[in-house]
Amino acid sequence: MIAYVTGASSGIGRGAAVRLAADGAKVVLLGRDQSRLDKAAAECGPDAVTAAFDVTDASTVDTVLPELLARTGPPGVVVHAAGQTVVGSLDSLTAEQWHRQLDVNLTGIHTLNRHLWPAMLPAGGAIVLVASTASFAAFPQDAAYVASKGAVLALTKAMALDGAPAGIRVNAVCPGFIRTPNLEGYFDAQDDPAAAAAGAAAAAPLGRMGTPADVAAAIAFLASPDARFITGASLLVDGGLMAKVPTA
Protein backbone atom coordinates (compact mmCIF):
# COMPACT_ATOMS: atom_id res chain seq x y z
CA MET A 1 0.00 0.00 0.00
CA ILE A 2 1.18 3.50 -0.85
CA ALA A 3 0.28 6.30 1.55
CA TYR A 4 0.67 10.01 0.80
CA VAL A 5 0.91 12.24 3.88
CA THR A 6 1.00 16.03 3.79
CA GLY A 7 2.48 18.05 6.62
CA ALA A 8 4.76 15.08 7.18
CA SER A 9 7.83 16.97 8.37
CA SER A 10 6.51 17.45 11.93
CA GLY A 11 3.65 17.01 14.34
CA ILE A 12 0.60 14.98 13.43
CA GLY A 13 1.67 14.48 9.81
CA ARG A 14 5.01 13.04 10.87
CA GLY A 15 3.32 10.84 13.44
CA ALA A 16 0.90 9.55 10.80
CA ALA A 17 3.69 8.80 8.34
CA VAL A 18 5.68 6.87 10.94
CA ARG A 19 2.64 4.87 12.04
CA LEU A 20 1.51 4.01 8.52
CA ALA A 21 5.05 2.90 7.65
CA ALA A 22 5.11 0.69 10.76
CA ASP A 23 1.85 -0.83 9.55
CA GLY A 24 3.49 -1.77 6.26
CA ALA A 25 2.79 1.16 3.95
CA LYS A 26 5.27 2.70 1.56
CA VAL A 27 4.98 6.31 2.68
CA VAL A 28 5.33 9.43 0.55
CA LEU A 29 6.09 12.33 2.88
CA LEU A 30 5.11 15.80 1.67
CA GLY A 31 6.09 19.03 3.41
CA ARG A 32 7.90 22.34 3.01
CA ASP A 33 11.22 21.60 4.73
CA GLN A 34 13.41 19.01 3.01
CA SER A 35 15.77 18.55 5.94
CA ARG A 36 12.92 17.83 8.34
CA LEU A 37 11.28 15.56 5.79
CA ASP A 38 14.52 13.59 5.53
CA LYS A 39 14.60 13.13 9.31
CA ALA A 40 11.00 11.97 9.33
CA ALA A 41 11.59 9.65 6.38
CA ALA A 42 14.46 8.01 8.26
CA GLU A 43 11.81 6.70 10.68
CA CYS A 44 9.68 5.34 7.85
CA GLY A 45 11.99 2.77 6.32
CA PRO A 46 14.16 2.60 3.22
CA ASP A 47 11.22 2.78 0.80
CA ALA A 48 10.01 6.17 2.05
CA VAL A 49 9.83 8.96 -0.55
CA THR A 50 9.91 12.70 0.13
CA ALA A 51 8.91 15.78 -1.82
CA ALA A 52 9.34 19.32 -0.50
CA PHE A 53 6.91 22.01 -1.63
CA ASP A 54 4.26 24.35 -0.26
CA VAL A 55 0.71 23.00 -0.62
CA THR A 56 -0.49 26.55 -1.31
CA ASP A 57 1.72 26.84 -4.41
CA ALA A 58 -0.64 25.50 -7.04
CA SER A 59 1.77 25.78 -9.95
CA THR A 60 4.42 23.76 -8.12
CA VAL A 61 1.86 21.17 -7.04
CA ASP A 62 0.70 20.86 -10.65
CA THR A 63 4.27 20.15 -11.69
CA VAL A 64 5.44 17.92 -8.85
CA LEU A 65 2.41 15.73 -8.16
CA PRO A 66 2.01 14.14 -11.65
CA GLU A 67 5.72 13.30 -11.72
CA LEU A 68 5.59 11.91 -8.19
CA LEU A 69 2.53 9.78 -8.89
CA ALA A 70 4.16 8.38 -12.02
CA ARG A 71 7.13 7.33 -9.88
CA THR A 72 5.28 5.89 -6.89
CA GLY A 73 2.04 4.65 -8.32
CA PRO A 74 -1.42 5.60 -7.06
CA PRO A 75 -1.99 5.94 -3.32
CA GLY A 76 -4.33 3.68 -1.40
CA VAL A 77 -4.26 6.11 1.51
CA VAL A 78 -4.01 9.91 1.63
CA VAL A 79 -3.66 11.90 4.85
CA HIS A 80 -4.16 15.66 4.65
CA ALA A 81 -2.30 16.87 7.75
CA ALA A 82 -0.71 20.09 6.50
CA GLY A 83 -1.84 22.94 8.71
CA GLN A 84 -0.94 26.01 10.69
CA THR A 85 -2.47 28.48 13.14
CA VAL A 86 -2.69 32.23 12.60
CA VAL A 87 -3.71 33.74 15.95
CA GLY A 88 -6.11 36.67 16.08
CA SER A 89 -9.74 37.78 16.13
CA LEU A 90 -11.35 38.32 12.75
CA ASP A 91 -11.11 42.11 12.93
CA SER A 92 -7.39 41.99 13.75
CA LEU A 93 -6.29 39.72 10.90
CA THR A 94 -4.83 41.17 7.74
CA ALA A 95 -6.10 39.90 4.40
CA GLU A 96 -2.77 38.13 3.95
CA GLN A 97 -3.09 36.34 7.30
CA TRP A 98 -6.67 35.31 6.61
CA HIS A 99 -5.94 33.93 3.17
CA ARG A 100 -2.74 32.21 4.27
CA GLN A 101 -4.63 30.34 6.99
CA LEU A 102 -7.37 29.17 4.65
CA ASP A 103 -4.92 28.39 1.88
CA VAL A 104 -2.84 26.06 4.06
CA ASN A 105 -5.63 24.39 6.03
CA LEU A 106 -8.34 24.18 3.38
CA THR A 107 -7.41 25.20 -0.17
CA GLY A 108 -4.28 23.03 -0.10
CA ILE A 109 -6.54 19.98 0.20
CA HIS A 110 -8.24 20.96 -3.04
CA THR A 111 -4.94 21.72 -4.78
CA LEU A 112 -3.51 18.26 -4.05
CA ASN A 113 -6.82 16.44 -4.40
CA ARG A 114 -7.09 17.44 -8.05
CA HIS A 115 -4.20 15.04 -8.68
CA LEU A 116 -4.55 12.44 -5.92
CA TRP A 117 -8.27 11.78 -6.34
CA PRO A 118 -8.12 10.78 -10.02
CA ALA A 119 -5.20 8.48 -9.22
CA MET A 120 -7.31 6.73 -6.55
CA LEU A 121 -10.46 6.32 -8.64
CA PRO A 122 -9.62 2.99 -10.32
CA ALA A 123 -8.98 1.07 -7.08
CA GLY A 124 -10.52 3.23 -4.35
CA GLY A 125 -8.88 3.82 -1.01
CA ALA A 126 -9.08 5.91 2.14
CA ILE A 127 -8.59 9.62 2.71
CA VAL A 128 -8.22 11.10 6.19
CA LEU A 129 -8.47 14.84 6.76
CA VAL A 130 -7.14 16.42 9.95
CA ALA A 131 -9.88 18.63 11.34
CA SER A 132 -10.00 19.74 14.99
CA THR A 133 -12.10 20.18 18.09
CA ALA A 134 -12.26 23.72 16.65
CA SER A 135 -14.47 22.21 13.95
CA PHE A 136 -17.17 22.01 16.65
CA ALA A 137 -16.38 24.76 19.17
CA ALA A 138 -14.43 27.99 18.85
CA PHE A 139 -11.36 29.29 20.63
CA PRO A 140 -10.99 33.02 21.28
CA GLN A 141 -8.46 34.91 19.16
CA ASP A 142 -8.41 32.08 16.62
CA ALA A 143 -10.99 33.09 14.02
CA ALA A 144 -9.26 32.00 10.82
CA TYR A 145 -8.19 28.65 12.24
CA VAL A 146 -11.69 27.91 13.53
CA ALA A 147 -13.23 28.87 10.19
CA SER A 148 -10.78 26.69 8.27
CA LYS A 149 -11.28 23.64 10.47
CA GLY A 150 -15.06 23.98 10.39
CA ALA A 151 -14.80 23.94 6.62
CA VAL A 152 -12.52 20.88 6.67
CA LEU A 153 -15.17 18.92 8.55
CA ALA A 154 -17.88 19.94 6.09
CA LEU A 155 -15.58 19.09 3.20
CA THR A 156 -15.02 15.63 4.64
CA LYS A 157 -18.72 14.87 4.29
CA ALA A 158 -18.93 16.23 0.76
CA MET A 159 -15.89 14.23 -0.37
CA ALA A 160 -17.28 11.09 1.28
CA LEU A 161 -20.46 11.33 -0.80
CA ASP A 162 -18.51 11.93 -4.00
CA GLY A 163 -16.09 9.09 -3.27
CA ALA A 164 -18.53 6.40 -2.20
CA PRO A 165 -19.44 5.17 -5.71
CA ALA A 166 -15.74 4.63 -6.45
CA GLY A 167 -14.93 3.00 -3.13
CA ILE A 168 -13.05 6.02 -1.78
CA ARG A 169 -13.77 6.49 1.91
CA VAL A 170 -13.22 9.94 3.41
CA ASN A 171 -13.14 10.59 7.16
CA ALA A 172 -11.73 13.16 9.56
CA VAL A 173 -9.84 13.02 12.81
CA CYS A 174 -10.53 15.89 15.18
CA PRO A 175 -7.63 16.34 17.58
CA GLY A 176 -7.82 18.34 20.78
CA PHE A 177 -4.71 19.74 22.41
CA ILE A 178 -1.89 17.75 20.82
CA ARG A 179 1.71 18.58 21.72
CA THR A 180 3.03 19.73 18.33
CA PRO A 181 5.11 22.68 17.05
CA ASN A 182 1.88 24.24 15.76
CA LEU A 183 0.30 24.14 19.21
CA GLU A 184 3.48 25.48 20.81
CA GLY A 185 3.23 28.44 18.44
CA TYR A 186 -0.33 29.05 19.60
CA PHE A 187 0.78 28.98 23.24
CA ASP A 188 3.68 31.33 22.51
CA ALA A 189 1.23 33.88 21.07
CA GLN A 190 -0.72 34.03 24.35
CA ASP A 191 -0.03 36.57 27.11
CA ASP A 192 1.14 33.78 29.44
CA PRO A 193 2.38 30.80 27.37
CA ALA A 194 3.12 28.63 30.42
CA ALA A 195 -0.36 29.16 31.82
CA ALA A 196 -1.90 28.45 28.41
CA ALA A 197 -0.01 25.16 28.16
CA ALA A 198 -0.94 24.17 31.71
CA GLY A 199 -4.57 24.97 31.04
CA ALA A 200 -4.57 22.83 27.89
CA ALA A 201 -3.08 19.90 29.76
CA ALA A 202 -5.70 20.16 32.48
CA ALA A 203 -8.66 20.70 30.15
CA ALA A 204 -9.13 17.11 29.00
CA PRO A 205 -10.73 14.63 31.40
CA LEU A 206 -7.84 12.24 30.73
CA GLY A 207 -5.60 14.86 32.32
CA ARG A 208 -2.97 15.47 29.67
CA MET A 209 -2.33 16.80 26.20
CA GLY A 210 -2.24 14.26 23.42
CA THR A 211 0.72 13.23 21.30
CA PRO A 212 1.08 12.88 17.54
CA ALA A 213 1.15 9.11 18.08
CA ASP A 214 -2.31 9.28 19.69
CA VAL A 215 -3.73 10.91 16.58
CA ALA A 216 -1.72 8.67 14.25
CA ALA A 217 -3.36 5.61 15.79
CA ALA A 218 -6.80 7.00 14.94
CA ILE A 219 -5.67 7.87 11.42
CA ALA A 220 -4.28 4.36 10.93
CA PHE A 221 -7.61 2.88 12.00
CA LEU A 222 -9.66 5.04 9.63
CA ALA A 223 -7.26 4.18 6.80
CA SER A 224 -7.42 0.45 7.50
CA PRO A 225 -9.80 -2.27 6.30
CA ASP A 226 -11.20 -2.37 9.85
CA ALA A 227 -12.95 0.91 8.98
CA ARG A 228 -14.28 -0.40 5.68
CA PHE A 229 -17.89 0.65 6.46
CA ILE A 230 -16.99 4.08 7.85
CA THR A 231 -17.10 7.16 5.65
CA GLY A 232 -18.12 10.77 6.14
CA ALA A 233 -17.38 10.42 9.86
CA SER A 234 -15.36 12.44 12.34
CA LEU A 235 -13.38 10.84 15.16
CA LEU A 236 -12.54 12.99 18.17
CA VAL A 237 -9.03 12.42 19.55
CA ASP A 238 -9.21 14.87 22.41
CA GLY A 239 -8.93 13.05 25.71
CA GLY A 240 -12.62 13.65 26.36
CA LEU A 241 -12.40 17.41 25.96
CA MET A 242 -15.60 17.80 23.93
CA ALA A 243 -17.54 15.53 26.28
CA LYS A 244 -17.03 17.85 29.22
CA VAL A 245 -19.38 20.62 30.34
CA PRO A 246 -17.09 23.47 31.49
CA THR A 247 -17.24 24.20 35.20
CA ALA A 248 -15.80 27.02 37.23
Side-chain angles (χ1 to χ4, degrees), residues 77-175:
V77 171
V78 171
V79 179
H80 288 284
Q84 70 175 69
T85 300
V86 177
V87 176
S89 60
L90 186 62
D91 59 286
S92 70
L93 296 172
T94 66
E96 181 181 3
Q97 288 173 318
W98 171 263
H99 287 295
R100 177 65 184 175
Q101 180 73 102
L102 267 66
D103 285 348
V104 174
N105 290 6
L106 180 63
T107 306
I109 297 171
H110 167 261
T111 304
L112 271 73
N113 192 64
R114 289 186 299 108
H115 299 281
L116 297 174
W117 186 277
M120 297 178 74
L121 283 175
I127 298 175
V128 182
L129 279 62
V130 177
S132 171
T133 51
S135 302
F136 302 96
F139 298 102
Q141 298 294 313
D142 214 11
Y145 181 82
V146 170
S148 69
K149 290 302 185 178
V152 167
L153 190 57
L155 179 61
T156 299
K157 299 172 185 178
M159 291 175 66
L161 296 180
D162 292 336
I168 299 176
R169 297 184 300 103
V170 187
N171 294 291
V173 290
C174 299

